[in-house]
Amino acid sequence: QVYGPEPKPEREIKETEASTRIQHASNAHKIKLERPLREYNPLARGSVEESDDDACSSNSSGYDEEDNRVKENISRMLQQEANHREALRQQRVLKEYRRQRDERAILDAEMVALKAELAREQAWTRVDDDEETTRAHRAEQAAASLLSTMDQEDIHESAEAAEQFAAYSAAWANFSTNTPTSITVENVPWPPISKNGFLVSMAADELQTVERNNASDDQRQHNAYRAYKTAFRKASLRWHPDKFEAKFGARLSEDIHPKEGISHREVILSEVQKMSQRINEEWESIMGSG
């Protein structure tokens, strides 16, 4: 024997199942009817649009934030670029300032050096002027002495000495124009030795060409000074070692001198060197006299 609720009649079961199916169908139809109403009913649609606006507003707010971030980045980049350009400009200005400052410093240093050089030159000029004045005074005294000696007709020791100097002058003129092919010591016209000196004798010869009798004392003294300068210039050029060798060196004999034991060339150049020193010493003596 089975215990439990008493089974329902088959007819009642079928009626219950049919009622359930009808209820389900009714509910489904109601749902289909409510959706179009919400879409076309302004009151129902308001809630839908509000939800859509909220979504759009949310999206728009997101876009605005992104735009603002982009604008901020662009503005920051532009500001950075402007700052960089300004920094470069300031660097150029600073570099130009330093260049100009260095140039001014160099110019100032050069100006100081030039002023110092000018001061030295002015000092040397004053010294030179003083020395020139002293030399001119001494030369005037030497010229006066030469005139006094010539007036006393005592330039040469004797008439023979005067003839020897005249012969020397003629011999040198001939030697210069008719130079021997091979020059020995004996071929060179060496100047004679006089008590008043070689330059005094040469100056006297130079002064002989000037008319002295009709000249004033100042003019005679000026002519005597010029005669001294001319004599010194001619003697220096004639007996300067380098100039003598340049003019006659190719013809100096290499034969051995019988007394000296060295070549004529060596003896001649040695004597020329001595003559040059003698002339310079005489000139310094004349300019330093008085």
Side-chain angles (χ1 to χ4, degrees), residues 79-137:
Q79 185 62 40
Q80 290 176 353
E81 184 178 356
N83 294 339
H84 180 66
R85 288 197 301 268
E86 179 62 20
L88 291 178
R89 187 190 68 80
Q90 293 180 3
Q91 287 180 358
R92 289 193 297 269
V93 172
L94 180 60
K95 184 177 181 181
E96 179 65 17
Y97 167 76
R98 289 175 176 173
R99 184 187 66 79
Q100 294 180 0
R101 182 193 61 188
D102 294 342
E103 287 183 354
R104 284 195 299 270
I106 293 173
L107 291 175
D108 291 342
E110 291 179 351
M111 184 61 66
V112 171
L114 287 174
K115 289 181 178 179
E117 182 65 22
L118 180 60
R120 286 193 296 270
E121 289 181 357
Q122 290 175 346
W124 280 112
T125 300
R126 287 192 295 269
V127 172
D128 291 341
D129 291 343
D130 294 341
E131 291 181 353
E132 185 63 25
T133 301
T134 302
R135 285 179 177 272
H137 176 68

Side-chain angles (χ1 to χ4, degrees), residues 147-212:
L147 289 175
S148 176
T149 302
M150 290 184 66
D151 289 341
Q152 296 173 5
E153 297 182 355
D154 193 25
I155 294 178
H156 302 290
E157 297 177 7
S158 61
E160 183 180 358
E163 291 177 358
Q164 288 178 353
F165 194 85
Y168 156 73
S169 297
W172 181 264
N174 182 64
F175 176 78
S176 298
T177 56
N178 301 299
T179 307
T181 304
S182 179
I183 303 175
T184 64
V185 175
E186 292 74 16
N187 296 139
V188 180
W190 304 103
I193 298 176
S194 65
K195 67 173 185 178
N196 292 321
F198 176 57
L199 284 182
V200 173
S201 298
M202 286 194 68
D205 278 358
E206 292 292 332
L207 197 57
Q208 291 288 351
T209 61
V210 179
E211 291 292 338
R212 297 183 289 111

Side-chain angles (χ1 to χ4, degrees), residues 140 143 147 215-226:
E140 290 175 357
L147 289 175
S216 64
D217 291 341
D218 290 342
Q219 185 63 39
R220 291 181 65 204
Q221 188 166 317
H222 176 70
N223 291 339
Y225 175 59
R226 289 184 59 187

Side-chain angles (χ1 to χ4, degrees), residues 39 42 44-56:
E39 293 177 357
R45 190 173 65 248
S47 60
V48 176
E49 290 178 353
E50 289 177 359
S51 63
D52 291 341
D53 291 340
D54 292 340
C56 291

